[in-house]
Amino acid sequence: LAKTTQPISMDSYEGQEVNITCSHNNIATNDYITWYQQFPSQGPRFIIQGYKTKVTNEVASLFIPADRKSSTLSLPRVSLSDTAVYYCLVGDVFTGTASKLTFGTGTRLQVTL
Amino acid sequence: EAEVAQSPRYKITEKSQAVAFWCDPISGHATLYWYRQILGQGPELLVQFQDESVVDDSQLPKDRFSAERLKGVDSTLKIQPAELGDSAMYLCASSLGPDFVSYGYTFGSGTRLTVV
């Protein structure tokens, strides 16, 4: 079971690029890396998922080096509404059991003016 | 956008009382999950259903917690008796299938339980 390590919190100003790094030293060959965002009093929301190299969608980019022992979520030009907790998940549920995925404590991002 | 419905939104109950939470997944989603999230921590899986069958309840405290999904659609999570340590957000999520990589999860807004 791949364990993940993230910074507990980060601060940023509006308009800046934010990079949140997640360490997962014992990631397995079949594991994917997924990031979720959670606002207070809401359930987590899917942001992005990747296996290797770089993945980009309309809200974020995910950078995964060749050894896959870490990954970086990049949020371009954050706004106040990006203030949330960001979770890095590493796992493979091809066997169908979600207990193999653990959320950890996440990174609390605070964006200010 | 389709949503996972949960009710009630908030619940306050006294210690030793019974409490129940309801979840209606997105239509057509065969896999349903219940998570518990203690304040300041990430969600932890309690139980996973595939249609009406329990796939994984290894982390469900079975002495006081029970979950059912009788017709493979909506689901109920029950706690009896409630303890002070059960105060948490209870989240329901659903997906098309158990393959997380392909389908991902959609979470509901949760039920905030306070046990007094």
Side-chain angles (χ1 to χ4, degrees):
Chain A
L1 189 63
K3 180 181 177 180
T4 60
T5 303
Q6 304 174 235
I8 294 174
S9 64
M10 296 182 67
D11 295 312
S12 178
Y13 291 108
E14 198 172 42
Q16 291 188 326
E17 178 184 73
V18 171
N19 296 308
I20 306 174
T21 297
C22 179
S23 297
H24 27 81
N25 291 319
N26 58 341
I27 189 169
T29 302
N30 291 334
D31 286 344
Y32 278 69
I33 301 154
T34 310
W35 286 80
Y36 273 79
Q37 175 192 56
Q38 186 176 27
F39 298 114
S41 298
Q42 293 187 26
R45 185 181 69 153
F46 173 88
I47 300 176
I48 198 166
Q49 182 179 83
Y51 183 79
K52 62 180 179 180
T53 62
K54 177 183 175 182
V55 179
T56 298
N57 62 22
E58 63 275 9
V59 297
S61 295
L62 178 60
F63 298 92
I64 306 169
D67 66 5
R68 304 200 326 122
K69 293 184 182 301
S70 67
S71 58
T72 300
L73 174 72
S74 181
L75 304 172
R77 296 189 303 279
V78 295
S79 65
L80 296 176
S81 62
D82 292 316
T83 294
V85 178
Y86 293 82
Y87 295 97
C88 165
L89 281 74
V90 175
D92 154 35
V93 284
F94 292 113
T95 56
T97 52
S99 59
K100 293 181 181 292
L101 294 171
T102 56
F103 276 80
T105 55
T107 297
R108 187 172 303 274
L109 173 65
Q110 179 69 53
V111 180
T112 56
L113 292 174
Chain B
E1 184 178 335
E3 295 184 347
V4 174
Q6 288 190 249
S7 67
R9 192 78 174 87
Y10 302 94
K11 180 70 176 179
I12 299 174
T13 191
E14 294 183 347
K15 189 176 67 170
S16 79
Q17 295 298 303
V19 64
F21 314 124
W22 177 79
C23 172
D24 190 13
I26 292 173
S27 178
H29 280 197
T31 312
L32 184 146
Y33 314 83
W34 283 101
Y35 280 83
R36 176 174 61 185
Q37 185 173 25
I38 296 170
L39 192 63
Q41 299 182 19
E44 59 172 343
L45 180 72
L46 292 175
V47 62
Q48 176 184 346
F49 288 92
Q50 182 63 30
D51 299 309
E52 67 277 7
S53 300
V54 173
V55 171
D56 185 351
D57 63 356
S58 58
Q59 299 178 79
L60 186 71
K62 299 182 187 63
D63 57 335
R64 298 184 299 108
F65 286 64
S66 64
E68 61 183 16
R69 193 184 184 198
L70 293 176
K71 297 183 178 179
V73 180
D74 58 339
S75 176
T76 302
L77 178 69
K78 297 178 181 177
I79 307 175
Q80 183 174 17
E83 296 181 352
L84 295 177
D86 296 331
S87 294
M89 173 80 84
Y90 289 83
L91 293 160
C92 179
S94 70
S95 64
L96 280 169
D99 181 351
F100 169 80
V101 172
S102 297
Y103 301 123
Y105 300 161
T106 301
F107 281 86
S109 295
T111 296
R112 169 74 66 189
L113 173 67
T114 302
V115 182
V116 297

